[in-house]
């Protein structure tokens, strides 16, 4: 059985997922803006940014712990 190029397949899924997420965020932000105004949209955007930053810090710390233990680091591509 031949091995497929999994990196290429993952990249295609990642780009499709990110575009799907962007489209959904746009209509959700637009609906919130129409219903409640700009302030809740900005608060939601700030909250999402904060959670993404916390996730990034957590991933970096896990990678550093893996480095000190001698185990291979997480497979991160940024």
């Amino acid at each position: 059985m031949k091995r497929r190029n999994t990196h290429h397949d993952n990249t295609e899924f990642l780009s499709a997922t990110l575009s799907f997420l962007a489209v959904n965020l746009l209509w959700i932000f637009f609906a919130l803006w129409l219903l409640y105004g700009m302030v809740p949209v900005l608060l939601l955007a700030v909250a999402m940014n904060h959670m993404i930053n916390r996730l990034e810090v957590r991933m970096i710390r896990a990678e550093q712990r893996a480095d000190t233990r001698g185990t291979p680091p997480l497979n991160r591509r940024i």
Side-chain angles (χ1 to χ4, degrees):
M1 189 178 233
K2 293 183 180 180
R3 292 185 63 120
R4 296 187 318 170
N5 188 358
T6 57
H7 175 66
H8 180 66
D9 293 341
N10 291 341
T11 307
E12 288 180 9
F13 287 131
L14 179 64
S15 62
T17 303
L18 289 177
S19 10
F20 186 72
L21 179 66
V23 168
N24 281 320
L25 278 176
L26 280 174
W27 76 260
I28 289 171
F29 281 165
F30 187 70
L32 281 175
W33 186 16
L34 288 176
L35 290 173
Y36 302 111
M38 186 56 106
V39 175
V41 173
L42 291 175
L43 290 176
L44 179 61
V46 168
M48 288 177 58
N49 186 35
H50 178 70
M51 296 306 290
I52 290 170
N53 288 338
R54 285 184 59 184
L55 180 62
E56 182 181 14
V57 168
R58 187 175 180 179
M59 287 177 65
I60 290 172
R61 286 183 184 161
E63 186 175 289
Q64 289 172 349
R65 280 194 304 263
D67 286 343
T68 59
R69 292 182 188 156
T71 57
L74 298 174
N75 190 11
R76 279 188 42 197
R77 291 184 182 97
I78 296 178

